[in-house]
Amino acid sequence: MTAAQDPRVFRDQVRAMEARLKKTVHTGRSADRAVTATVTGRGELVDLRIADNALDRAHPQLLGSGIVQAVQAARGVARSAAVPELAALVGKEPESPVRPSSAEPAPAGRSVRAPRDEVPDEESFDQVDFLSDEDVDDRGGHR
C-alpha cells in the first residue's frame, strides 16, 4: 500500500507539509517598493513594512494599493513555492501558470500593476487642488 492509498500516512505527510509551510516565509514588494510584506508559506501575513518616506510622497493615498500589491506579491511567491510540494504529495504534475502572450512575466516577488483605465470605480483626484477655492472641471481646467 502506497502513501497515497494509506490515509494515515497521507495525513501525516500533509501535517508535515503544513508545518514546513508555517515555518517558511516569503516576501513581496509594491511596485514603487515603498511597502514590503512577509507571509508564511500558507500565505498568512506576518510582517508589513512601510518606508519612512511613503507618506511624504506626492500621493500618499496610493499607500493602500501598495499594501495590497505587496501582500499579493508575497502570497504569489508563497503559492509558487508550495504548489510543487503539494503536487508531489498528491502525485500530480503542477500546472504551469497561463500568462497572456503579450505580457512580460513579472519578476519573482513583484506584482504587475493593472493599467489605470481597468479600474472603473476609482476616481482620480490628481488634478484637484484641495487648497483652492476655485472650481475645477473634469479635465483639470478652471470653471
Side-chain angles (χ1 to χ4, degrees):
M1 188 178 278
T2 66
Q5 294 170 332
D6 185 351
R8 290 175 292 205
V9 172
F10 184 72
R11 181 188 65 222
D12 292 343
Q13 290 176 336
V14 169
R15 286 181 181 164
M17 185 182 76
E18 284 278 318
R20 283 191 301 276
L21 291 176
K22 282 183 180 181
K23 290 179 185 177
T24 60
V25 293
H26 303 278
T27 302
R29 288 189 149 179
S30 61
D32 64 0
R33 306 187 67 74
V35 182
T36 304
T38 304
V39 300
T40 67
R42 294 182 55 177
E44 298 163 339
L45 183 64
V46 293
D47 190 35
L48 184 69
R49 296 182 185 261
I50 300 171
D52 290 336
N53 65 346
L55 293 176
D56 297 335
R57 295 183 178 174
H59 301 286
Q61 67 271 21
L62 299 177
L63 187 58
S65 64
I67 292 170
V68 172
Q69 286 174 357
V71 172
Q72 286 177 339
R75 286 182 174 162
V77 172
R79 186 179 317 106
S80 295
V83 164
E85 186 174 358
L86 181 59
L89 184 66
V90 296
K92 292 187 175 183
E93 281 290 316
E95 294 181 20
S96 60
V98 178
R99 293 184 188 266
S101 59
S102 64
E104 287 292 317
R110 305 254 337 251
S111 64
V112 177
R113 189 177 213 175
R116 189 163 180 76
D117 58 357
E118 289 183 17
V119 186
D121 295 333
E122 186 175 29
E123 187 174 346
S124 173
F125 295 101
D126 292 346
Q127 301 297 321
V128 177
D129 181 3
F130 291 101
L131 301 177
S132 172
D133 290 334
E134 296 179 27
D135 284 336
V136 179
D137 64 16
D138 292 342
R139 292 183 211 101
H142 296 286
R143 290 183 204 179

